[in-house]
């Protein structure tokens, strides 16, 4: 999905410390008596996460970055996945163990004594940035054999990294500011900077499903024509705010700064929906987005992740952007 954006990875925030915090469900039998191992980096190296885990326990581990990633300093973009590993224990039984329900042959079975329930996982980088992609796991985990097996894994979403102010970060750990002169001009023209009061402004909440902010009604985004598109902003709170734009009526368009409540946003642009599919997404400065500085398309990484998180496939989506010099 994000292969076209990987060239911008060098701009990501560099870190030298990473802590993984896991919470075990506080329910009966949720702990485990065997060791759990963790892996994060591309080298597939393992680090012991804990020797045992008790129900309701919160376990924090400082990750050995040099072991996991091959060096002491990495970027947040390199933390793409996390997995837990465990060795299950076998229990011996006699021929009469199952009271005639077996073939009467002695042997071993895998024990479920080491099953455990994982509630959540949080990543903390440099004691500043946190990632809560896995804040609601709530899953029982089982080691299927007496060998080291992967019992849980997940993809770390870059868009879920936030700073100490609880705001999402971009590739340079900042948001893109509103240009003040157009903003002041809009105020003088009495433009509304409360998107909840602008007809047609909505928030994407699912598979091309939007929630109209003014009416509170849900809607399915209609396909665009050759003379229409949807203008959008991606806010620091992680919301995609949009409005359909009929380009034949230039006097009626709503500026991106109005969709973003006149505040800084992470990204702004247009997208098109054709035959109930997301055909194209563009990040650029034009008549409808002149209030935000362009970034050469770097911010589209977060937009792509957000669409996918909402269940909107971007497999066949065309991505475009315009540099500030364009």
């Amino acid at each position: 999905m994000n292969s076209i954006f990987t060239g911008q990875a060098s701009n990501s925030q560099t870190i030298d410390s990473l802590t993984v915090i896991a919470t075990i469900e506080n329910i009966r039998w949720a702990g485990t008596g065997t060791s759990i191992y963790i892996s994060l980096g591309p080298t597939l190296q393992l680090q012991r996460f804990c020797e045992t885990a008790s129900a309701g326990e919160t376990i924090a581990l400082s990750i050995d970055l040099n072991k996991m990633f091959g060096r002491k300093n990495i970027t947040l973009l390199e933390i793409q996945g996390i997995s837990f590993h465990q060795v299950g224990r076998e229990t011996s039984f006699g021929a009469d163990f199952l009271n005639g329900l077996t073939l009467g042959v002695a042997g071993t079975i895998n024990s479920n004594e080491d099953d455990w329930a994982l509630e959540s996982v949080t990543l903390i980088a440099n004691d500043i940035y946190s990632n809560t992609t896995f804040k609601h796991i709530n899953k029982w985990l089982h080691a299927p054999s007496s060998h080291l097996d992967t019992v849980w894994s997940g993809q770390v979403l870059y868009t879920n990294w936030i700073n100490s102010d609880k705001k999402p970060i971009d590739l340079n750990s900042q948001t893109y500011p509103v240009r003040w002169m157009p903003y002041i001009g809009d105020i003088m023209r009495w433009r509304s900077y409360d998107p909840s009061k602008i007809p047609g402004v909505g928030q994407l909440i699912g598979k091309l499903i939007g929630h109209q902010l003014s009416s509170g009604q849900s809607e399915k985004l209609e396909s665009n024509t050759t003379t229409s598109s949807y203008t959008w902003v991606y806010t620091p709170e992680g919301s995609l705010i949009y409005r359909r734009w009929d380009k034949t009526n230039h006097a009626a368009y709503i500026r991106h700064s109005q969709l973003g409540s006149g505040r800084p946003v992470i990204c702004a642009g247009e997208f098109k929906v054709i035959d109930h599919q997301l055909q194209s997404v563009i990040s650029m400065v034009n008549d409808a987005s002149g209030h935000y500085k362009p970034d050469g398309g770097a911010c589209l990484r977060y937009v792509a992740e957000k669409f996918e998180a909402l269940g909107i496939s971007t497999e066949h989506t065309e991505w475009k952007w315009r540099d500030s010099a364009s």
Side-chain angles (χ1 to χ4, degrees):
M1 174 188 68
N2 293 332
S3 60
I4 64 172
F5 305 117
T6 54
Q8 290 126 7
S10 60
N11 295 325
S12 178
Q13 180 66 35
T14 300
I15 64 167
D16 56 19
S17 71
L18 178 65
T19 300
V20 175
I21 303 172
T23 299
I24 311 302
E25 292 253 31
N26 191 22
I27 56 178
R28 192 177 184 183
W29 312 118
T32 179
T34 60
S35 297
I36 301 170
Y37 297 85
I38 189 173
S39 180
L40 288 104
T43 61
L44 302 180
Q45 293 292 319
L46 295 176
Q47 184 175 347
R48 186 194 296 269
F49 189 74
C50 62
E51 292 187 2
T52 60
S54 303
E57 183 179 4
T58 296
I59 305 168
L61 176 71
S62 178
I63 299 299
D64 185 341
L65 294 180
N66 194 42
K67 179 178 181 179
M68 290 286 187
F69 295 89
R71 59 188 189 282
K72 296 181 179 180
N73 296 280
I74 63 171
T75 65
L76 290 180
L77 279 172
E78 293 177 81
I79 309 172
Q80 298 183 359
I82 180 174
S83 57
F84 286 121
H85 308 261
Q86 185 181 14
V87 177
R89 290 184 292 187
E90 292 183 336
T91 300
S92 300
F93 62 91
D96 59 347
F97 177 72
L98 295 180
N99 195 25
L101 295 180
T102 68
L103 296 178
V105 179
T108 60
I109 60 173
N110 289 327
S111 171
N112 62 1
E113 294 179 359
D114 298 316
D115 291 3
W116 55 292
L118 180 61
E119 179 178 296
S120 64
V121 173
T122 302
L123 286 74
I124 306 293
N126 280 9
D127 295 323
I128 299 175
Y129 308 105
S130 60
N131 190 295
T132 55
T133 299
F134 314 112
K135 61 182 178 181
H136 298 298
I137 298 175
N138 305 115
K139 185 176 182 180
W140 280 93
L141 306 179
H142 171 69
S145 72
S146 59
H147 303 287
L148 186 65
D149 293 300
T150 301
V151 295
W152 178 85
S153 63
Q155 178 185 1
V156 178
L157 296 180
Y158 188 87
T159 49
N160 284 344
W161 283 106
I162 58 176
N163 60 23
S164 55
D165 294 328
K166 307 299 181 183
K167 297 295 180 67
I169 61 174
D170 64 12
L171 289 174
N172 297 303
S173 303
Q174 63 185 13
T175 55
Y176 297 98
V178 174
R179 289 177 172 173
W180 284 105
M181 290 309 294
Y183 177 51
I184 294 172
D186 286 344
I187 293 178
M188 294 177 65
R189 294 180 179 89
W190 297 98
R191 287 193 171 100
S192 172
Y193 278 86
D194 183 353
S196 67
K197 296 181 180 179
I198 303 175
V201 175
Q203 177 182 347
L204 274 179
I205 59 174
K207 294 183 178 180
L208 295 179
I209 300 295
H211 176 79
Q212 286 285 317
L213 300 183
S214 60
S215 67
Q217 300 295 314
S218 295
E219 65 173 352
K220 188 172 183 64
L221 271 62
E222 298 179 355
S223 292
N224 291 117
T225 65
T226 56
T227 59
S228 71
S229 66
Y230 289 93
T231 56
W232 58 268
V233 296
Y234 184 40
T235 72
E237 291 78 21
S239 298
L240 270 169
I241 307 298
Y242 69 89
R243 188 177 190 269
R244 189 180 178 90
W245 178 28
D246 180 2
K247 298 183 179 182
T248 62
N249 186 2
H250 291 278
Y253 82 81
I254 298 298
R255 294 179 182 270
H256 282 121
S257 52
Q258 291 175 270
L259 297 182
S261 303
R263 301 176 300 127
V265 298
I266 292 178
C267 204
E270 299 175 35
F271 67 77
K272 274 184 173 287
V273 175
I274 302 295
D275 295 331
H276 308 297
Q277 292 186 341
L278 190 64
Q279 183 191 60
S280 63
V281 178
I282 185 169
S283 173
M284 60 185 296
V285 172
N286 57 16
D287 288 343
S289 61
H291 288 59
Y292 296 102
K293 296 180 180 180
D295 67 336
C299 65
L300 286 176
R301 168 182 292 274
Y302 323 118
V303 180
E305 285 188 353
K306 184 65 177 182
F307 278 127
E308 292 286 348
L310 291 172
I312 302 172
S313 174
T314 61
E315 182 179 359
H316 302 294
T317 301
E318 181 181 7
W319 300 89
K320 306 175 185 177
W321 57 85
R322 180 177 296 173
D323 293 326
S324 56
S326 299

